Amino acid sequence: MKAVVVTEFGGPEVLKYMETEKPLINSKQVLIRVVATSVNFADIKSRHGNYHGAGQPPFIPGLDAAGIIEAAGSEVQYVKAGDRVIAFPKNGSYSEYVVADENLTFVLPDNVDFDTAAACPTVSFTSYKLLADVARLEPGETVLIHAAAGGIGTTAIQLAKILGAGRVIGTVGSERKIPAAREAGADHVICYETEDFAEKVNELTAGQGADVILDSISGWVAEKSLECLAMYGRLVNFGNAAGGMVGQFKTTDLHSSCRSVLGFSLGTTRNNRPHFLRDTANQVLGFLADGRLNMKIGKRFSLEDAASAHQWVESRQSIGKVLLKVSDVK
């Protein structure tokens, strides 16, 4: 089969489109013919050797895939050959075939197409877990979402509204990205290159601050977020797009105000508590099926052009999800 392989740590040029062995399944796994997969920022980090849990080269990158089950192991009970599914594969998704455990494979509603499905798993599962389970969003609360024009940002904006947020504020790093966050449903969008986002959030909330803040950037953005986190507020960190910079907090910033700083990793959850994702899948796929959640797809590339897709995502110009098309199945 054809696959894209990280041959060594480095820039996009280390991604090689080549012939590899078709994977084998065990009794509790399924073999999926991939129709499309998505590019996530974690793929960039793994290519550089900076993603937790990433293997040593050579390896196939990619976290999620949409496709059709071609074969199922003898102990698989809830999915079967021919099912249209999304999955979190065992060993990368930039390939024509992937293997996934049954408990990380989810059947698609009939009216959800493969492009939508491929854009969905990582960003929608992460967004739902952050809001519903980690931050425990309450109806009417104000949510602040950093990097609001990206794949998770545009998805989290919608899910915050679906889950009852009273107001959703987004931040972006470029004024060019403001329309994408507004289109996703943000009530206010702040460009932190031209405005003090904490000051603006406090102004918009009459000095109360945001009840929930989703932070995938870390560094100074995480630290400054405490300046606009409400009493009893929850700051949830789920990434470090700022690179080597880390956010630092004092215990005095938290206890008397009853505020919390929380963390979440979808990768850790997939590896250690995969059963946590079954209810998440049911909720997210239901929202996709009834039209309340729309996946924002920015660009599509062929599998062979994965290096170009990585260049686009790494340029920070991408808006919404970037897909790799693997086959022409509709």
Side-chain angles (χ1 to χ4, degrees):
M1 70 172 187
K2 294 291 188 183
V4 171
V5 177
V6 175
T7 54
E8 59 183 305
F9 292 134
E13 69 279 357
V14 305
L15 295 172
K16 304 298 183 185
Y17 182 69
M18 61 177 65
E19 193 71 31
T20 62
E21 291 291 327
K22 189 174 178 180
L24 301 175
I25 60 173
N26 66 30
S27 62
K28 296 181 179 180
Q29 296 175 327
V30 295
L31 178 69
I32 300 168
R33 179 160 56 97
V34 178
V35 175
T37 181
S38 70
V39 178
N40 293 284
F41 199 74
D43 304 343
I44 309 293
K45 294 178 68 177
S46 68
R47 196 195 71 224
H48 284 294
N50 296 327
Y51 183 64
H52 65 91
Q56 293 293 312
F59 64 87
I60 297 171
L63 301 179
D64 50 33
I68 301 169
I69 294 179
E70 204 162 268
S74 59
E75 295 184 66
V76 171
Q77 301 180 52
Y78 302 110
V79 293
K80 62 185 184 306
D83 282 348
R84 300 166 66 253
V85 296
I86 53 173
F88 296 102
K90 292 291 287 185
N91 296 300
S93 61
Y94 291 18
S95 59
E96 292 181 317
Y97 292 89
V98 298
V99 167
D101 291 340
E102 180 185 18
N103 62 4
L104 289 172
T105 304
F106 311 98
V107 176
L108 290 171
D110 292 340
N111 64 336
V112 175
D113 63 80
F114 279 119
D115 275 13
T116 299
C120 154
T122 295
V123 296
S124 62
F125 282 42
T126 299
S127 297
Y128 184 86
K129 293 295 289 184
L130 292 171
L131 291 162
D133 297 338
V134 181
R136 304 178 309 283
L137 177 64
E138 295 288 338
E141 289 189 317
T142 294
V143 178
L144 173 63
I145 298 169
H146 292 306
I152 286 182
T154 54
T155 306
I157 289 168
Q158 296 177 73
L159 283 171
K161 288 294 187 75
I162 291 169
L163 295 171
R167 172 168 35 197
V168 178
I169 304 169
T171 72
V172 294
S174 163
E175 290 188 356
R176 182 181 66 83
K177 295 185 175 184
I178 290 175
R182 286 197 180 278
E183 183 185 345
D187 299 295
H188 307 278
V189 184
I190 303 163
C191 178
Y192 56 73
E193 285 189 342
T194 59
E195 292 186 273
D196 183 318
F197 77 79
E199 184 177 291
K200 186 65 175 178
V201 168
N202 287 329
E203 177 187 319
L204 291 168
T205 59
Q208 297 300 303
D211 301 292
V212 172
I213 301 178
L214 303 187
D215 166 42
S216 60
I217 301 174
S218 193
W220 72 270
V221 171
E223 293 174 354
K224 195 165 187 64
S225 292
L226 279 189
E227 296 177 18
C228 60
L229 183 64
M231 290 185 65
Y232 295 91
R234 290 84 72 202
L235 168 61
V236 187
N237 175 262
F238 62 101
N240 60 335
M245 294 186 291
V246 296
Q248 298 187 13
F249 310 104
K250 300 174 183 176
T251 55
T252 51
D253 291 331
L254 304 174
H255 73 272
S256 62
S257 59
C258 300
R259 301 185 300 177
S260 305
V261 176
L262 303 158
F264 178 74
S265 164
L266 184 65
T268 299
T269 303
R270 288 196 315 267
N271 293 333
N272 295 284
R273 307 285 172 88
H275 58 283
F276 283 4
L277 299 180
R278 179 60 57 184
D279 178 66
T280 301
N282 291 337
Q283 296 294 330
V284 165
L285 292 174
F287 296 147
L288 285 173
D290 66 20
R292 284 188 283 172
L293 176 61
N294 296 289
M295 303 310 302
K296 306 297 181 181
I297 298 171
K299 279 201 171 193
R300 297 169 175 83
F301 295 82
S302 68
L303 180 63
E304 192 171 357
D305 287 333
S308 297
H310 272 223
Q311 287 175 335
W312 179 245
V313 172
E314 210 162 2
S315 74
R316 303 287 186 176
Q317 297 182 73
S318 62
I319 293 173
K321 287 298 294 180
V322 172
L323 300 187
L324 299 178
K325 299 288 287 181
V326 181
S327 74
D328 293 328
V329 176
K330 302 297 182 184

